[in-house]
Amino acid sequence: MTNSAPQKDNKPSFEKVDRTAFTNKHLIGIEDLNADEINIILDLADYYADRLDEREFKPDILRNQVLLTLFFEDSTRTRTSFEMAAKRLGADVINIDVSTSSINKGESLLDTIQTLNSMLRPDGIVVRHSEYGAPQFVSTIVDCPVINAGDSWHEHPTQALLDALTLRRRLKVLEGKTIAICGDIAHSRVAASNMILLKKLGVNVHIVAPPALMPDKLPTDDVKKFDNMKDGLNGCDAVMMLRNQMERMQAGLIKSEQEFFENYGLTKEKLSYANDGAFVMHPGPMNRGVEIADDVADDKNLSLILEQVRNGVPTRMAIMDILMKDRT
Ligand code: NCD
């Protein structure tokens, strides 16, 4: 493995990132991490992001290790980028497609995990599940690191980390910046993990939602709530839009998609309330014409949406490097 590429901008080199300062065995939620641990992941992810386009750059640090991905909910980017990240690090990957598994024959989560654990002896497990706390539960029955790829509306830590990497690579410094998170705050695990992470890194967080989609209790303190885009976007350096999580939403909370778009959909006009040159983000999948207009999503200068997807790979490489390296 060659990791002697010169580092730009005085970034810490691959070898110098102090992985031992990361004390968690699993990655269940951003709430379990302190700012130093978040920065360790981001420093390493930044290093991997710089070298992502070098096809021959395949550090073999997870050779002979097995990553199991278990998605009990739909996923395109998250599952694929975990697979790509694990392969870049030399691991073998087993993806279980839950739509064709024995879960549909009534098998419990406990039995499914015990069966796969016994058969595959994985060195890392990635879990996405519609139940709050499922990855935490899995971590109590296996002895390898467990990575939460999204549980209900609770947390989606790897998404928040890749969003922070994307912002950090563009804004350079996150502390003191102002970021708006807009839309279905109440049902979004992406919003929850992002709020927690951004506050831990000293960012000013605005959340903007119609009253029906604004939770009474937020997962972190010191976040400013707004019910309109004009006030909420004022002074913001980036605007993060969210999909309406219809699968977790009680009927009737949104009157019509058209009305939602008129009041909360991000258009060029609404984006002008934010700072000049404010970046636009979205974790995907996007519903164009509902939470975001085409010309905003596709704006090559301001939209970071494809960069977020790309940064999913180096971020997940960094997480697996920290949690799984040296297990064999
Ligand atoms: C998000 C998720 O699944 O929570 N998608 C993702 O991981 N990029 C957001 C969503 O489904 O709206």
Side-chain angles (χ1 to χ4, degrees):
M1 168 180 139
T2 41
N3 45 36
S4 54
Q7 291 295 298
K8 292 180 261 170
D9 309 330
N10 296 324
K11 290 177 185 177
S13 74
F14 177 69
E15 299 88 346
K16 291 215 176 99
V17 174
D18 180 11
R19 296 158 175 80
T20 60
F22 192 93
T23 54
N24 288 269
K25 178 174 177 186
H26 309 284
L27 179 59
I28 304 297
I30 300 293
E31 64 188 345
D32 304 325
L33 307 182
N34 60 37
D36 288 344
E37 289 171 314
I38 293 168
N39 282 320
I40 291 169
I41 297 174
L42 297 181
D43 287 347
L44 206 47
D46 200 23
Y47 166 82
Y48 283 129
D50 280 346
R51 306 198 62 183
L52 200 66
D53 290 337
E54 297 169 35
R55 286 279 166 171
E56 70 285 3
F57 176 67
K58 285 190 174 170
D60 222 10
I61 58 173
L62 299 188
R63 189 150 58 99
N64 299 332
Q65 297 211 29
V66 173
L67 179 78
L68 168 63
T69 76
L70 263 172
F71 280 74
F72 295 87
E73 274 189 351
D74 297 345
S75 174
T76 310
R77 36 217 117 218
T78 306
R79 198 196 60 69
T80 312
S81 73
F82 266 113
E83 179 171 358
M84 181 72 182
K87 287 182 171 165
R88 285 297 283 264
L89 296 177
D92 295 321
V93 185
I94 309 276
N95 296 309
I96 302 290
D97 179 358
V98 173
S99 63
T100 57
S101 81
S102 292
I103 288 284
N104 300 317
K105 297 182 183 171
E107 187 175 66
S108 71
L109 178 59
L110 176 67
D111 287 336
T112 304
I113 299 295
Q114 281 181 337
T115 300
L116 292 169
N117 195 41
S118 169
M119 187 194 306
L120 303 169
R121 290 266 153 241
D123 298 284
I125 301 181
V126 174
V127 189
R128 169 173 286 189
H129 202 284
S130 59
E131 268 178 54
Y132 189 114
Q136 159 72 25
F137 171 69
V138 173
S139 76
T140 63
I141 49 179
V142 297
D143 65 6
C144 67
V146 174
I147 303 171
N148 181 3
D151 62 324
S152 181
W153 39 265
H154 175 217
E155 278 232 35
H156 190 350
T158 63
Q159 180 69 44
L161 287 159
L162 75 88
D163 290 340
L165 177 71
T166 307
L167 282 165
R168 201 177 89 161
R169 285 171 71 84
R170 287 300 191 123
L171 299 172
K172 305 297 172 211
V173 177
L174 293 182
E175 195 175 354
K177 296 288 191 306
T178 304
I179 313 287
I181 308 176
C182 312
D184 183 6
I185 305 289
H187 304 94
S188 172
R189 55 198 178 201
V190 173
S193 289
N194 262 300
M195 274 185 253
I196 302 169
L197 185 152
L198 292 171
K199 286 312 304 176
K200 288 191 183 203
L201 295 191
V203 174
N204 306 310
V205 178
H206 290 188
I207 54 172
V208 188
L213 299 179
M214 179 70 85
D216 295 333
K217 196 174 168 329
L218 294 174
T220 184
D221 297 329
D222 199 19
V223 167
K224 287 201 185 125
K225 291 184 181 184
F226 297 88
D227 65 3
N228 70 86
M229 296 287 275
K230 189 164 191 174
D231 295 335
L233 267 51
N234 186 25
C236 287
D237 300 293
V239 183
M240 207 179 272
M241 300 307 299
L242 302 168
R243 179 178 68 86
N244 291 327
Q245 309 275 301
M246 304 310 287
E247 68 275 30
R248 280 182 259 284
M249 202 184 284
Q250 205 183 306
L253 289 186
I254 292 173
K255 280 202 201 95
S256 78
E257 291 187 336
Q258 198 187 344
E259 191 196 65
F260 185 88
F261 182 70
E262 271 162 32
N263 294 320
Y264 295 96
L266 190 62
T267 55
K268 288 266 161 144
E269 190 197 341
K270 293 198 193 82
L271 187 59
S272 72
Y273 306 142
N275 290 348
D276 272 355
F279 292 116
V280 174
M281 301 175 77
H282 194 306
M286 279 187 281
N287 285 157
R288 291 167 180 262
V290 182
E291 72 271 8
I292 193 162
D294 283 329
D295 60 346
V296 175
D298 299 331
D299 186 316
K300 290 205 165 33
N301 296 318
L302 300 179
S303 170
L304 303 184
I305 296 168
L306 292 177
E307 230 166 278
Q308 288 172 268
V309 180
R310 179 182 188 276
N311 284 334
V313 177
T315 302
R316 290 168 176 126
M317 287 171 82
I319 292 161
M320 285 188 272
D321 171 331
I322 290 167
L323 296 180
M324 292 169 64
K325 190 166 167 277
D326 304 328
R327 276 187 52 86
T328 46

